[in-house]
Amino acid sequence: MDLFAVSLYHNDPATGRMMLHAMPVMLVVLVCLALAYRYYSAFLAAKVAVLDNSRITPAHRLNDGQNYHPTNKWVLFGHHFAAISGAGPLIGPVLAIQYGFMPGLLWLVIGVCLAGAVQDMLVLAASVRTDGKSLAEIARRELGIPAAIIASVAILFIVVIALAGLGIVVVKALGGEEVKLPVGMRIDLPENERISVITERDKAGRVVYEFPPHCRIKYDLGGKATERPEAFRVAVMPGSGEHPITILSYDGGVRTLLLSPLFHDTRDNRILESRFLELPPGCSQIVPGSSWGTFTIACTIPIALLVGLWMYRIRKGKVVEASIIGGVLTLAAVVAGNWIPGSSLEGIFSLTREQTIITLCIYGFIAAVLPVWLLLGPRDYLSSFLKIGTVVLLVLSVLIANPTLHAPPLNEVFMNGGPTFPGSLFPFVFICVMCGAISGFHSLVSSGTTPKMIDKESQIRHIGYGAMLIEGLVGTVALIAAASLPPDLYYDINVPIDRSHEFQSQLDEIKLKYGVSHQSIPTESKDPLHAANVGSPHHLDLSQVEEKVGGEALRGRTGGAVTLAVGMSLIFGEAFRWFGVTGDWLLKYWYHFAIMFEALFILTTIDAGTRIARFLLQETAGRVYKPLARPDWIVGSIMASGLVTIGYGWLVYNGSILTIWPMFGIANQLLAALALALVTTWLVNRGRGRYAFVTIIPMLFVTSTTLTAGKQMIMGPFSNLNTVLTIFVIACVCSLMLWSIARWIAVWMGKSVKPQGAA
């Protein structure tokens, strides 16, 4: 009995706190998702949407070989899942851990079954019945032309904001970044080591220095020193002398130098061999981009082109052949990516933040213009192999490794906001988690590319409801990966280095309440699910983790992407130990694989989203100049795609995760509320209003949480631009929801009139 209890939970001997394990959580979630698909989606298909395979879908009726194209249901499932599964289910649950793991977990399971999957499936059904048109066109047919104009403008703004939210995570995962360092941070150089100048003056006019491996760092005067196993670079802005840097030399003497020249002995211009360095204001650590991940993702583009040509031109209809070729080549690219870091090609694929943004926009533009069968569909299909395969591997690893959920079920310390997300648990846990439970962006995919490729109506259930359940599962495993990290490790990564003093008292309280002692983690030899008889790698502190993932700089890497990669790599490492595959050296491969997986996971949403935004912009502009509304007109496609990529590229370039993510969350959830309102109108107008409760209940809940969050953010931390955009989106969505409610009342009272411009 004691052994069985260890598999499910154990009591921390240091604090007496009950520590839940991940395996029972994962099993309960899997059962809930399976029951929802088996019964609730069948009810939606038979009674609410009334799916009928005798109806000819737009993919056949309007087949143009470019945008409308009947597609194999598994290929389309892969495309749809790849298109909807972006940053939200990966990053949102990770950031929400600051509130504890239980609020996010409950919303993920309940939200995806009763709200998110319902929205995706019914919007897809409504769009298929409306010639594969967008939400704006559905608004025109159900509410009239004025409503369609408001919807078009609002949705276009929301999708550009959403693409910026997705893009910022790709940039943080793949591109280089700068981590601000606190004033007075002290660096203790190893014996007989010295710093060197890498760049005398970079583009910003700063001097870039490289510090040797195994420096000891004290981030603040009261903190303890930690070792940095890897070499790292620091950029410093030369000053006019008002901010001196203190050098404590080996002989015990103290010399103070002004910032010109910094770190240099002014007598012979050589680098000082100093023992301690105390950094002045304005210093940043330069973190290079991920050349491994960028190389692998770049390889998927020509592979996708080959698969598309194979399926539709070279060996038409040979989906299995194309899948095998694409899958083998994609796995080969993942393995080959390991050889890029340290090679002569590293400089090509290790991109800066600005280079990553430009590359992202160029790719989004090309993917939006090319025929869907040539790049977008095959690439998303291939990406789905890696996405779903990794998710399945992670689920199995959670069941095998059965890690302890070190995060508390409810974190009382950060109930009113913390370093990862501003604002209180209600309503911000729903805004933070968002896409894993419900996402307005999904309604754009369900009324964008996917309905134009549906072969039979019965596939709507399989693709619309089923793909969203998998996304909810993705959110769950991301949450478990983050919750399995000890609080010290989680917050070392997620608290900005230069702001650590702001949260220090709260972090000390968390350590006292929820900190993990070595005695609190049972050794695997006592657990019937483990036979490796080794200690858990979750015992590691940050400096040890940095060393074992290949010398990566992890402290202060906010945004969730790095946290998730660390959590995934530790879980994979523990699971494979169970099979006798031991060695901490494996963690660096798992870490880089996870970073690549995250970027690929999100990037496929960028390409589909850009294409969807292009359709929306063309539909709107077509009311002014009709040829622009034709999706097959190359001039209109180029113009619309260019404007969309410039829009979200500008937001990413000028924003950060703390400014874009909350705005993305609010705009995204407002769009979900709007989509539910429009699909309710579609049901009411067709005499199925008795089933409207399936959409009205989640609509009311999402609306209440999102408007509350919007009000708090507008009155709080938002910048002027974010405030204006958020107020505009809220005003548009609220007006359309009131318009929809008026329509429902008119129909139920028997006073309905056909909307102006409706079909």
Side-chain angles (χ1 to χ4, degrees):
M1 184 65 183
D2 290 338
L3 291 178
F4 181 70
V6 170
S7 299
L8 302 179
Y9 68 91
H10 72 274
N11 292 317
D12 182 354
T15 64
R17 184 164 66 99
M18 188 182 80
M19 309 286 285
L20 188 65
H21 284 222
M23 181 193 67
V25 173
M26 180 58 69
L27 290 176
V28 170
V29 170
L30 290 172
V31 170
C32 291
L33 299 183
L35 290 174
Y37 181 79
R38 172 62 183 86
Y39 295 105
Y40 197 49
S41 69
F43 163 73
L44 295 173
K47 301 295 184 180
V48 182
V50 192
L51 302 181
D52 183 1
N53 278 343
S54 66
R55 291 175 178 265
I56 300 176
T57 63
H60 291 280
R61 191 171 63 255
L62 304 174
N63 189 350
D64 60 6
Q66 182 157 328
N67 297 296
Y68 290 87
H69 191 273
T71 306
N72 177 277
K73 70 175 182 179
W74 294 110
V75 175
L76 186 54
F77 180 92
H79 159 74
H80 184 79
F81 175 71
I84 66 171
S85 52
L90 293 177
I91 303 305
V94 173
L95 299 178
I97 288 296
Q98 79 168 13
Y99 299 116
F101 70 81
M102 192 57 70
L105 179 65
L106 290 175
W107 176 232
L108 278 169
V109 177
I110 297 172
V112 74
C113 295
L114 302 181
V118 174
Q119 173 208 249
D120 290 14
M121 177 179 171
L122 294 183
V123 169
L124 181 57
S127 183
V128 167
R129 300 276 177 85
T130 318
D131 293 337
K133 296 296 184 180
S134 67
L135 272 183
E137 182 63 18
I138 293 173
R140 183 186 73 80
R141 297 195 178 200
E142 305 303 324
L143 297 173
I145 292 176
I149 295 173
I150 298 174
S152 296
V153 176
I155 293 170
L156 189 58
F157 270 85
I158 291 172
V159 73
V160 171
I161 293 171
L163 289 170
L166 299 169
I168 195 75
V169 179
V170 174
V171 171
K172 287 188 73 66
L174 285 183
E177 65 174 312
E178 294 189 13
V179 178
K180 292 182 180 180
L181 299 175
V183 178
M185 186 181 97
R186 299 186 66 172
I187 304 175
D188 181 358
L189 296 174
E191 294 285 346
N192 302 319
E193 293 288 351
R194 49 194 285 174
I195 61 175
S196 57
V197 177
I198 300 299
T199 306
E200 291 285 354
R201 191 170 292 273
D202 66 4
K203 292 180 181 179
R206 304 169 303 180
V207 183
V208 179
Y209 300 89
E210 181 165 270
F211 287 80
H214 305 295
C215 288
R216 292 188 63 79
I217 310 295
K218 184 177 284 190
Y219 291 96
D220 57 75
L221 293 177
K224 71 174 184 177
T226 58
E227 183 175 307
R228 290 290 298 272
E230 84 288 0
F232 60 96
R233 296 181 179 183
V234 175
V236 183
M237 179 67 74
S240 58
E242 67 274 22
H243 297 302
I245 180 165
T246 302
I247 309 295
L248 283 74
S249 61
Y250 284 127
D251 58 13
V254 177
R255 284 181 282 180
T256 299
L257 299 180
L258 300 182
L259 297 187
S260 180
L262 188 66
F263 298 156
H264 287 72
D265 188 325
T266 54
R267 292 169 300 180
D268 57 9
N269 199 33
R270 65 184 176 82
I271 302 297
L272 284 169
E273 297 183 0
S274 308
R275 176 75 183 189
F276 296 102
L277 302 176
E278 185 175 308
L279 298 185
C283 294
S284 298
Q285 180 180 328
I286 307 298
V287 180
S290 173
S291 56
W292 185 345
T294 302
F295 169 81
T296 303
I297 290 170
C299 287
T300 62
I301 297 175
I303 293 172
L305 291 171
L306 173 62
V307 169
L309 290 171
W310 193 278
M311 282 194 296
Y312 296 109
R313 292 292 185 271
I314 300 173
R315 296 271 290 173
K316 192 172 182 179
K318 301 294 183 179
V319 176
V320 175
E321 288 182 12
S323 301
I324 293 173
I325 293 171
V328 170
L329 291 177
T330 300
L331 290 176
V334 173
V335 175
N338 176 45
W339 302 324
I340 300 301
S343 73
S344 58
L345 296 175
E346 183 177 11
I348 299 174
F349 294 101
S350 182
L351 305 180
T352 64
R353 180 180 188 274
E354 291 73 18
Q355 290 170 336
T356 307
I357 294 171
I358 293 171
T359 304
L360 182 69
C361 292
I362 291 173
Y363 169 73
F365 173 82
I366 293 173
V369 172
L370 288 179
V372 69
W373 61 266
L374 184 58
L375 176 60
L376 186 66
R379 188 178 185 279
D380 288 354
Y381 178 54
L382 285 176
S383 299
S384 67
F385 276 118
L386 184 59
K387 287 184 175 186
I388 297 176
T390 303
V391 171
V392 171
L393 178 62
L394 191 52
V395 169
L396 293 176
S397 296
V398 167
L399 295 176
I400 294 170
N402 194 23
T404 301
L405 299 180
H406 296 306
L410 188 65
N411 188 349
E412 298 174 354
V413 179
F414 285 136
M415 287 277 286
N416 295 316
T420 67
F421 210 83
S424 57
L425 188 152
F426 180 87
F428 283 100
V429 71
F430 304 102
I431 305 302
C432 188
V433 170
M434 58 172 168
C435 300
I438 183 170
S439 170
F441 183 81
H442 295 186
S443 68
L444 303 180
V445 180
S446 293
S447 62
T449 53
T450 303
K452 297 176 177 63
M453 296 187 281
I454 288 284
D455 186 32
K456 299 177 181 178
E457 281 199 357
S458 60
Q459 296 174 4
I460 292 173
R461 176 194 177 197
H462 165 76
I463 294 168
Y465 200 93
M468 183 57 199
L469 289 185
I470 300 298
E471 175 142 0
L473 182 61
V474 171
T476 302
V477 294
L479 181 140
I480 288 174
S484 67
L485 297 177
D488 286 359
L489 185 56
Y490 177 85
Y491 289 106
D492 281 344
I493 298 173
N494 283 285
V495 176
I497 295 175
D498 62 330
R499 297 183 60 206
S500 59
H501 63 281
E502 298 178 24
F503 301 101
Q504 193 57 55
S505 62
Q506 293 167 302
L507 294 175
D508 290 341
E509 186 179 355
I510 286 176
K511 185 174 182 179
L512 183 64
K513 280 188 173 183
Y514 312 119
V516 178
S517 64
H518 286 287
Q519 292 83 12
S520 70
I521 306 175
T523 56
E524 281 76 353
S525 60
K526 297 178 182 179
D527 191 330
L529 290 181
H530 297 80
N533 195 25
V534 292
S536 168
H538 285 85
H539 284 114
L540 304 175
D541 61 23
L542 182 65
S543 61
Q544 292 172 312
V545 172
E546 287 179 325
E547 183 175 9
K548 294 181 186 303
V549 298
E552 291 288 328
L554 303 179
R555 186 178 295 273
R557 297 290 298 278
T558 59
V562 170
T563 308
L564 177 59
V566 171
M568 288 175 60
S569 61
L570 292 179
I571 288 176
F572 285 146
E574 286 191 53
F576 276 78
R577 285 168 183 260
W578 190 80
F579 293 104
V581 182
T582 60
D584 288 338
W585 59 272
L586 281 172
L587 289 179
K588 68 178 180 179
Y589 293 99
W590 286 126
Y591 174 82
H592 287 286
F593 173 80
I595 286 289
M596 180 274 303
F597 161 74
E598 292 177 46
L600 186 63
F601 205 96
I602 298 164
L603 198 59
T604 50
T605 312
I606 296 286
D607 52 26
T610 305
R611 194 177 192 90
I612 291 164
R614 171 203 136 190
F615 290 151
L616 289 168
L617 185 55
Q618 285 189 262
E619 280 185 10
T620 305
R623 295 188 175 93
V624 179
Y625 182 60
K626 286 188 177 181
L628 285 172
R630 288 169 43 204
D632 58 346
W633 188 39
I634 189 64
V635 175
S637 300
I638 291 174
M639 291 173 59
S641 301
L643 289 173
V644 170
T645 52
I646 290 172
Y648 68 73
W650 184 85
L651 284 174
V652 172
Y653 185 84
N654 290 282
S656 68
I657 195 74
L658 290 177
T659 60
I660 290 180
W661 194 263
M663 183 171 64
F664 170 34
I666 291 170
N668 189 55
Q669 299 303 82
L670 282 172
L671 181 56
L674 173 59
L676 289 168
L678 291 177
V679 82
T680 303
T681 307
W682 176 71
L683 291 173
V684 170
N685 283 342
R686 279 149 188 78
R688 294 199 294 278
R690 63 187 179 278
Y691 298 115
F693 67 90
V694 302
T695 51
I696 290 178
I697 293 174
M699 181 200 76
L700 293 175
F701 182 80
V702 171
T703 302
S704 63
T705 57
T706 308
L707 291 182
T708 304
K711 176 186 175 183
Q712 293 182 19
M713 294 302 292
I714 288 170
M715 298 176 67
F718 268 2
S719 66
N720 291 336
L721 175 60
N722 290 6
T723 297
V724 170
L725 288 174
T726 304
I727 290 175
F728 175 78
V729 169
I730 288 175
C732 291
V733 171
C734 286
S735 64
L736 286 168
M737 290 181 67
L738 292 173
W739 208 319
S740 298
I741 292 171
R743 177 69 181 168
W744 308 342
I745 294 172
V747 172
W748 286 333
M749 293 180 67
K751 299 179 180 179
S752 62
V753 178
K754 188 176 182 180
Q756 182 183 0

